[in-house]
Amino acid sequence: MRIGELSRRTGVPARMLRYYEEQGLLRPERAANGYRRYPEQAVVRVQQIRGLLDSGLTTEIIGRILPFLQQPDAIVMDPRCLTPELAVLLRAEADRITARIDCLTRNRDALLGYLAAVSGS
């Protein structure tokens, strides 16, 4: 499929798909005319990338774990592939996400407290 169809099927703009390619997250083939050609499984791959980006991971980290994603929502990784460097990177990312969740929770609680005080309930 061409980039426009992949964009329509995933809801991800073609510009963003080209960015994923620049980052090494997608590797389309090129037709004789230079157009990108994506396999059917690119739809699932883009959904995986979007989910990982939405969770707050960087494209660098996604690029490191993407080869181990066998299903849309599962990481299947041989323990020998987890280098000490990657383990440190993933732990730091998990800590960063936890801090972000804590901050979001505090902000949500503050907003709900404000609404309760204003509405009198």
Side-chain angles (χ1 to χ4, degrees), residues 77-93:
M77 187 171 174
D78 185 319
R80 294 173 293 188
C81 297
L82 184 64
T83 64
E85 176 192 21
L86 182 55
V88 167
L89 189 62
L90 293 175
R91 281 190 186 97
E93 201 57 27

Side-chain angles (χ1 to χ4, degrees), residues 99-120:
R100 188 170 174 212
I101 290 169
D102 292 345
C103 179
L104 289 170
T105 300
R106 284 191 306 275
N107 289 339
R108 181 204 59 208
D109 293 348
L111 289 172
L112 292 174
Y114 174 75
L115 287 171
V118 169
S119 65

Side-chain angles (χ1 to χ4, degrees), residues 20-54:
Y20 296 165
E21 182 183 350
E22 289 171 13
Q23 297 300 306
L25 304 178
L26 286 178
R27 292 180 182 84
E29 295 178 4
R30 292 288 181 152
N33 60 6
Y35 289 169
R36 292 167 175 86
R37 303 282 312 171
Y38 295 92
E40 185 64 31
Q41 61 265 33
V43 172
V44 171
R45 183 60 64 167
V46 170
Q47 292 168 340
Q48 291 170 324
I49 293 167
R50 289 299 321 150
L52 293 167
L53 285 169
D54 289 347

Side-chain angles (χ1 to χ4, degrees), residues 5-23:
E5 182 180 347
L6 182 60
S7 175
R8 280 188 298 282
R9 290 181 62 187
T10 61
V12 175
R15 181 174 165 207
M16 188 61 65
L17 295 173
R18 286 190 289 274
Y19 173 74
Y20 296 165
E21 182 183 350
E22 289 171 13
Q23 297 300 306

